[in-house]
Amino acid sequence: MKRTLLLLLVCATTHAFSQNDEDKKKHAIDVDAIRETQLTGDVGLRPTKMSYPADAASVKRFLGKFPGKKYLTFPEDRSNSIRLLDSLPKPWLNRSAAQLTSFEGTARPGEYYVFQIGVYAVGQPLHRLGTDFSGVTDAAKRKITDVTCFNTEGVDFKLRNYKKKLEVAANHVQPLWFGVQLPDNASGDLKGVVVIKATGLPSTAVNINIHVKGSKIADHGFDSEVGLSRLAWLNTRIGSDNDITNGYQQVERTDNYIKILGRDITLGADGLPQNISSYFDHNNAYIMPKAEPILSNKFRFVVQKDGKQLPFTTSAIRYQDALPGGTRWTTTLSNPNVNIVVKGSAEFDGFMGYQLDVTPVKDIPVDDIYLELPMTKDKSLYMMGLDKEGGYRPAKWNWKWDVINKDQDEVWMGGVNGGLKIKFKGANFKRQLVNIYYEFSPINEPESWGNGKKGGIDITSTSADQGALLKAYSGQRILRKGQTYHFDFDLSITPFKTINKIIQFGDRYYHTDVDTVKHFISSAIEHGANIINIHHKKDIYPYLDYPFMDENTPDLKAFIDSSHAHRLKTKIYYTTREISVNTKEIWAMRSLGTEIIMPGPGSEARTLVNPKGVHPWLKQNFKDNFIPGWVATFTHGKYKGRQDLAVLTSPDSRINNFYLGGLDWMCRNLNIDGLYLDDLALDRETMKRTRKILDRERPGSRIDMHSWNHYNQYGKYASSLNVYMEQLPYIDQIWIGEARNYDLAPDYWLVEISGIPFGLTSQMLNKGGNMWRGMNYGITNRLGWFRSRTPEHMWKFWDEHQIEKKDMIGFWNPTCPVRADNSEAAVTIYKSKDKVLISVANYSDKAQKTRLNINWAALGMTPDGVKATIPAITDFQDQKNIDLQKELTLEPAKGYMIVVERK
């Protein structure tokens, strides 16, 4: 977690959750606590011959040899990545006319071979620059057609084929990168022609000759960065089938009834949910035979005119099943004034997507277009989102769109064993940048729901049973004939799965920020950890989100092999949103414009990581149109004195495909045991593909995710678990603790930190969190993280009492057999036939007295048939005698683990 040393949360102890200005001050971030990074380190990247621009006079003389030419082509070997976009590199000025239109390279059989052609716009811009490349042919006239130009075509992150034309500014270079998949039996000279075209100008033919010789290369050349063959990963379709991932069950549909793991959905005639129910028990430990309703009534989508709701005639719902993973449907709502096409989908993980296309038959003024979502009391007890931190839902909540100042377009309401998150979208939807980078690319206000800030969301308690009614309104407008308005929304039905107690109590992490890994394995073994997370900024993994450098992969592989020999798992830091400038394909990625490298202020950018400006290397080499990201400074080991720089990547781009290609390679070649994600930018579909790759290549792998607390002025008041809700079905554990205030109330802990309402478990972070309160949720911290209280003694206690075999019954469960009679305390139990572990915690900063009210019959015990002890747990509690009939004194912000067992 790159941000752990960045920001510290400074907040007074509070149990209030109203989001007024005073309350937000209590949750503010102390910017003065930033550990400022000095941008003076050696990046380790040396200039190449392509780094030096020719002077203006030399360029003028060179161009004089080609009078009348509006553009020139410069074929270039893959070993000389084109870096300069605003000038010609010196070596190009030595080219003859023939060299401008011919390329020769050397490859091996089976290689994914890449080369490049630079196009220079002479004196004027080039419009709609494109390429034609039909393939190469060998001496026997056999044609190889598996070719591409990465700049003008590809497979996007949604697996759609696309083509595009390019615009090139005057006196600028557009590098064009090409890929050719050579057959395993290729040999000799392979010849072809690349045709370069631009609007209004003659085309240029560049002759290609690839000399194939030597033995077949392994794995298309992906095993080494040298040949840049990994660019093929930009277009990979791996993991794109309709299968489900491990731990889920296939979708079942009968007419309008849809069943998934632990939940079912019934659609109304309009294609919207009429009923959604949950079968999860109140601890998310089991799936019960009887369901509990989440909805108190059906969804209603209303077009209101002249104070009345327009009536609609519905067509039959048409289904298109994509089993076992999901199903889709379409229906049409008709009215003399307006037609609405409803397109919906449901998938095995609990996701539902809706597109509501509203098209007027004529110009028509409307009072409002709104959606109503009614929920039962038990399944709307808590709320998170729309400027409300996680906790109890207030009786009334009113919210308006403000995308500049708020990263908010979604809300979750639920109980622990059932709930809904709804995210509002329009035709202009794009994924925002998260946390401290939000301001560089915020949410687009949906043109439909937002309606120029006329729209908003009201949440009120219904009078009948104090359930919740969410009304998303868009306000008055004139619907124009010929225009379609996209009232889209996504639903996530929680929880996603039952809590895996083997993961909750058995996965024990060694996770440290030290630069060198020499003592990682021995320290993990000594203190009882069984999983090691390898962060970036390590001697065996130096560069952010690029773990497969030739210089480090042998050592990384050796470490993983050694950990396996000691029966430890090793997972690696591998996420998206930022990428190191040491990435070998970085210049090819840069040539794709804003597709991979997120556009931004460039050298003028100022961020919390770069408050005084960007690193000189970025100024000199990237210059403009980028956003500087993380800076890692090595203080020990073989990279001591070096700095790794990163730039932000564009969400929902082919970086997702590249990421998956790299993951597949690491599973097959490094035998990684999973991933550690840090504030990821992956969409839900890519996360699903990620999980499939791990399930298939490395069964038993884990994914854990960390997120910094976004609920502050820099993260624009977003709740992290709302931001990542759609990805949670594919994650095993969360680490939601950085910049968190552990002195807030139990309802905050439950919703924002614990993961329990979503079928997950969590771990704590800042200074080890609060272990007494953490045990109310079955969570502890991680071994090795700086300034953390060590968890190993609690692990020993868990093992001694076989906690993973007990039923966890939380304080949130209305049937919990043990209660505290003091509202400042909370009690969770871990129950088996002959033993009960009682976790009691004080949520006050003052000492509290409480009596435990125990339902002995529910425990299957009698008070005179048990003995109760407070056992010694190092750094947690001293051994004490206890009388369960008497008051218990709890120290400020502390508590006890009490063992009750049959005599």
Side-chain angles (χ1 to χ4, degrees):
M1 125 235 10
K2 307 182 295 295
R3 277 162 223 83
T4 300
L5 298 181
L6 243 186
L7 307 168
L8 301 177
L9 188 66
V10 286
C11 30
T13 300
T14 176
H15 291 247
F17 282 85
S18 60
Q19 300 307 304
N20 53 37
D21 290 340
E22 184 62 31
D23 187 60
K24 285 180 178 176
K25 289 178 183 177
K26 294 176 182 177
H27 296 77
I29 295 294
D30 180 8
V31 183
D32 293 333
I34 293 173
R35 179 188 69 176
E36 184 175 329
T37 300
Q38 298 297 322
L39 301 177
T40 57
D42 175 19
V43 179
L45 295 171
R46 301 294 172 255
T48 71
K49 66 180 183 178
M50 304 299 289
S51 302
Y52 301 102
D55 61 81
S58 298
V59 170
K60 184 177 180 180
R61 285 194 299 271
F62 176 75
L63 296 179
K65 299 177 182 179
F66 308 96
K69 282 282 190 179
K70 302 302 181 184
Y71 68 93
L72 297 175
T73 56
F74 294 88
E76 189 61 71
D77 188 74
R78 56 189 174 180
S79 61
N80 299 318
S81 295
I82 299 172
R83 300 184 174 202
L84 302 175
L85 304 182
D86 57 359
S87 53
L88 292 175
K90 284 183 178 180
W92 282 1
L93 271 57
N94 298 319
R95 299 278 177 95
S96 66
Q99 290 173 321
L100 298 183
T101 56
S102 62
F103 171 79
E104 292 194 20
T106 302
R108 288 171 59 185
E111 185 172 6
Y112 192 87
Y113 181 77
V114 300
F115 63 94
Q116 52 188 332
I117 299 175
V119 179
Y120 180 70
V122 181
Q124 65 180 36
L126 301 179
H127 301 295
R128 296 184 58 78
L129 179 70
T131 65
D132 281 338
F133 184 30
S134 60
V136 291
T137 304
D138 65 12
K141 305 300 182 184
R142 293 175 299 189
K143 193 160 189 177
I144 299 166
T145 59
D146 188 355
V147 300
T148 191
C149 175
F150 293 102
N151 304 81
T152 60
E153 61 186 352
V155 177
D156 72 8
F157 78 105
K158 289 188 175 181
L159 305 172
R160 300 170 299 196
N161 293 325
Y162 73 92
K163 292 182 180 292
K164 65 179 180 180
K165 303 292 185 180
L166 307 173
E167 301 294 310
V168 185
N171 304 318
H172 277 64
V173 175
Q174 172 60 61
L176 300 173
W177 284 85
F178 296 85
V180 182
Q181 177 57 66
L182 302 180
D184 292 348
N185 62 353
S187 62
D189 288 352
L190 306 179
K191 297 182 179 182
V193 176
V194 173
V195 178
I196 310 291
K197 300 183 293 186
T199 297
L201 299 175
S203 61
T204 298
V206 179
N207 297 307
I208 307 299
N209 190 355
I210 303 171
H211 307 292
V212 182
K213 56 186 180 181
S215 60
K216 174 191 169 185
I217 198 168
D219 201 12
H220 310 292
F222 299 157
D223 292 347
S224 174
E225 80 229 10
V226 174
L228 302 182
S229 299
R230 295 167 180 167
L231 284 173
W233 295 346
L234 288 170
N235 294 326
T236 183
R237 296 178 181 272
I238 191 169
S240 59
D241 52 73
N242 288 323
D243 285 349
I244 63 175
T245 60
N246 289 349
Y248 290 93
Q249 67 183 37
Q250 73 174 39
V251 174
E252 298 177 15
R253 184 186 67 81
T254 304
D255 298 327
N256 291 352
Y257 174 77
I258 301 168
K259 186 172 182 59
I260 60 175
L261 178 70
R263 292 145 290 176
D264 57 24
I265 306 147
T266 303
L267 302 179
D270 57 4
L272 297 176
Q274 179 174 291
N275 179 64
I276 301 176
S277 298
S278 167
Y279 291 83
F280 291 90
D281 81 307
H282 285 271
N283 301 298
N284 289 340
Y286 303 102
I287 294 177
M288 308 299 287
K290 185 178 179 181
E292 297 180 358
I294 294 175
L295 297 185
S296 59
N297 210 326
K298 65 180 181 180
F299 275 50
R300 295 177 67 240
F301 186 70
V302 174
V303 180
Q304 181 175 303
K305 174 177 169 55
D306 298 330
K308 298 179 180 179
Q309 300 175 15
L310 295 183
F312 288 89
T313 302
T314 60
S315 68
I317 300 178
R318 301 182 304 278
Y319 286 94
Q320 184 178 1
D321 293 332
L323 302 176
T327 184
R328 297 180 177 274
W329 59 90
T330 304
T331 189
T332 301
L333 314 181
S334 302
N335 178 277
N337 295 302
V338 179
N339 291 322
I340 303 173
V341 176
V342 177
K343 300 175 183 177
S345 65
E347 297 196 32
F348 66 89
D349 60 355
F351 173 83
M352 297 182 73
Y354 273 100
Q355 295 175 259
L356 275 61
D357 298 342
V358 177
T359 306
V361 176
K362 58 186 178 182
D363 287 359
I364 173 175
V366 296
D367 304 335
D368 197 5
I369 299 177
Y370 62 88
L371 176 73
E372 287 187 342
L373 191 167
M375 299 179 68
T376 63
K377 178 182 178 180
D378 289 344
K379 301 301 182 286
S380 62
L381 184 62
Y382 304 103
M383 174 181 165
M384 174 173 60
L386 305 185
D387 218 22
K388 167 74 174 68
E389 281 193 288
Y392 287 120
R393 173 181 59 83
K396 183 179 181 181
W397 197 260
N398 305 111
W399 175 88
K400 297 283 288 184
W401 287 94
D402 181 10
V403 298
I404 299 301
N405 298 301
K406 304 288 178 62
D407 181 3
Q408 297 171 4
D409 60 357
E410 55 201 348
V411 61
W412 173 83
M413 290 191 294
V416 168
N417 65 332
L420 292 175
K421 191 204 80 167
I422 184 167
K423 181 183 182 70
F424 295 92
K425 302 161 64 175
N428 61 344
F429 172 78
K430 67 175 177 64
R431 197 173 307 279
Q432 74 274 32
L433 292 180
V434 295
N435 61 52
I436 63 173
Y437 302 109
Y438 177 83
E439 65 181 287
F440 292 105
S441 184
I443 294 168
N444 283 334
E445 178 183 311
E447 75 291 347
S448 49
W449 299 105
N451 192 20
K453 293 188 170 50
K454 292 180 182 178
I457 297 172
D458 292 337
I459 298 173
T460 55
S461 293
T462 55
S463 57
D465 64 352
Q466 294 301 300
L469 177 65
L470 180 149
K471 179 180 179 180
Y473 60 91
S474 60
Q476 191 176 50
R477 65 175 11 127
I478 297 176
L479 300 179
R480 300 294 183 184
K481 180 181 179 181
Q483 184 173 344
T484 296
Y485 302 80
H486 301 274
F487 287 84
D488 301 344
F489 60 91
D490 293 339
L491 294 175
S492 295
I493 309 172
T494 63
F496 301 112
K497 49 193 172 184
T498 55
I499 291 173
N500 186 322
K501 289 192 289 186
I502 300 301
I503 292 175
Q504 180 177 17
F505 298 114
D507 284 7
R508 301 170 184 186
Y509 279 92
Y510 181 80
H511 193 150
T512 179
D513 197 35
V514 176
D515 289 359
T516 57
V517 302
K518 181 178 180 181
H519 301 293
F520 281 19
I521 292 175
S522 59
S523 295
I525 294 171
E526 178 183 355
H527 297 285
N530 54 24
I531 301 176
I532 298 175
N533 270 0
I534 299 296
H535 220 266
H536 70 102
K537 197 175 84 73
K538 295 287 177 283
D539 52 358
I540 61 172
Y541 176 10
Y543 306 126
L544 179 61
D545 290 331
Y546 199 84
F548 16 78
M549 282 284 192
D550 289 356
E551 65 185 275
N552 73 272
T553 48
D555 291 338
L556 181 56
K557 176 68 164 59
F559 181 93
I560 294 172
D561 289 345
S562 180
S563 73
H564 291 168
H566 289 88
R567 299 184 179 180
L568 303 174
K569 291 179 182 288
T570 292
K571 298 164 53 265
I572 67 163
Y573 185 114
Y574 189 53
T575 190
T576 59
R577 194 194 63 258
E578 296 171 77
I579 195 165
S580 170
V581 298
N582 282 278
T583 300
K584 290 302 182 181
E585 294 81 11
I586 196 70
W587 300 110
M589 292 178 177
R590 183 78 164 141
S591 79
L592 299 173
T594 61
E595 182 190 353
I596 301 293
I597 307 301
M598 187 73 190
S603 295
E604 302 303 316
R606 300 293 184 272
T607 71
L608 289 181
V609 180
N610 299 269
K612 295 182 180 179
V614 305
H615 194 286
W617 188 94
L618 284 171
K619 285 185 178 182
Q620 180 178 354
N621 290 275
F622 269 44
K623 299 179 182 178
D624 57 17
N625 215 23
F626 67 91
I627 301 171
W630 191 247
V631 179
T633 303
F634 294 88
T635 57
H636 296 85
K638 68 179 181 179
Y639 294 98
K640 182 178 180 179
R642 290 265 294 274
Q643 286 188 323
D644 180 35
L645 311 179
V647 291
L648 267 66
T649 55
S650 297
D652 294 351
S653 69
R654 280 191 292 172
I655 193 66
N656 295 17
N657 294 337
F658 190 87
Y659 174 89
L660 294 174
L663 172 61
D664 176 65
W665 184 87
M666 288 188 293
C667 287
R668 292 184 291 106
N669 291 275
L670 301 183
N671 293 326
I672 62 172
D673 298 302
L675 301 177
Y676 167 63
L677 306 176
D678 184 1
D679 267 336
L680 73 160
L682 294 176
D683 69 298
R684 176 181 157 276
E685 288 295 327
T686 307
M687 271 302 301
K688 188 196 309 181
R689 295 168 66 191
T690 298
R691 186 81 251 184
K692 288 177 183 178
I693 292 169
L694 286 172
D695 287 351
R696 293 165 184 177
E697 297 287 349
R698 297 290 297 161
S701 289
R702 303 284 198 255
I703 300 178
D704 69 309
M705 185 192 76
H706 161 74
S707 178
W708 172 69
N709 183 9
H710 299 186
Y711 200 85
N712 54 66
Q713 62 268 44
Y714 303 103
K716 301 303 182 185
Y717 303 102
S719 292
S720 300
L721 290 182
N722 254 351
V723 173
Y724 302 124
M725 185 82 68
E726 294 172 7
Q727 290 83 359
L728 295 184
Y730 306 105
I731 290 170
D732 297 299
Q733 199 165 54
I734 51 178
W735 197 14
I736 307 295
E738 187 180 355
R740 293 282 172 178
N741 180 7
Y742 290 108
D743 289 328
L744 296 180
D747 55 330
Y748 173 87
W749 274 77
L750 182 64
V751 176
E752 289 268 2
I753 296 175
S754 77
I756 291 171
F758 315 108
L760 290 169
T761 186
S762 185
Q763 291 176 332
M764 299 177 292
L765 182 53
N766 285 357
K767 299 181 181 179
N770 182 308
M771 296 186 72
W772 298 272
R773 294 169 181 166
M775 280 307 301
N776 275 175
Y777 315 90
I779 63 178
T780 184
N781 58 338
R782 292 190 172 182
L783 182 70
W785 200 253
F786 74 108
R787 296 184 298 179
S788 286
R789 182 186 301 272
T790 179
E792 62 184 295
H793 308 295
M794 185 56 72
W795 292 344
K796 291 177 182 178
F797 174 80
W798 289 356
D799 291 342
E800 180 182 348
H801 297 280
Q802 296 183 304
I803 194 170
E804 77 283 356
K805 295 182 179 179
K806 293 176 169 54
D807 287 334
M808 178 178 171
I809 306 176
F811 64 83
W812 56 86
N813 188 329
T815 65
C816 185
V818 183
R819 298 280 177 185
D821 68 358
N822 184 332
S823 62
E824 296 287 354
V827 176
T828 289
I829 70 167
Y830 303 87
K831 174 182 176 294
S832 61
K833 180 180 178 181
D834 297 317
K835 184 183 293 186
V836 177
L837 310 179
I838 300 175
S839 164
V840 55
N842 179 3
Y843 285 82
S844 166
D845 60 354
K846 297 180 176 62
Q848 299 288 331
K849 292 183 180 295
T850 188
R851 192 180 302 276
L852 298 181
N853 296 324
I854 301 176
N855 183 338
W856 291 103
L859 292 180
M861 298 177 172
T862 60
D864 57 354
V866 301
K867 63 176 180 178
T869 58
I870 295 178
I873 304 174
T874 303
D875 293 334
F876 187 86
Q877 64 189 22
D878 296 327
Q879 183 172 344
K880 293 183 180 181
N881 295 321
I882 182 173
D883 185 344
L884 294 176
Q885 306 298 319
K886 295 182 179 180
E887 278 191 328
L888 187 65
T889 300
L890 305 177
E891 294 182 42
K894 292 187 178 182
Y896 292 108
M897 288 298 299
I898 303 169
V899 178
V900 180
E901 52 191 330
R902 296 183 191 276
K903 292 181 179 178

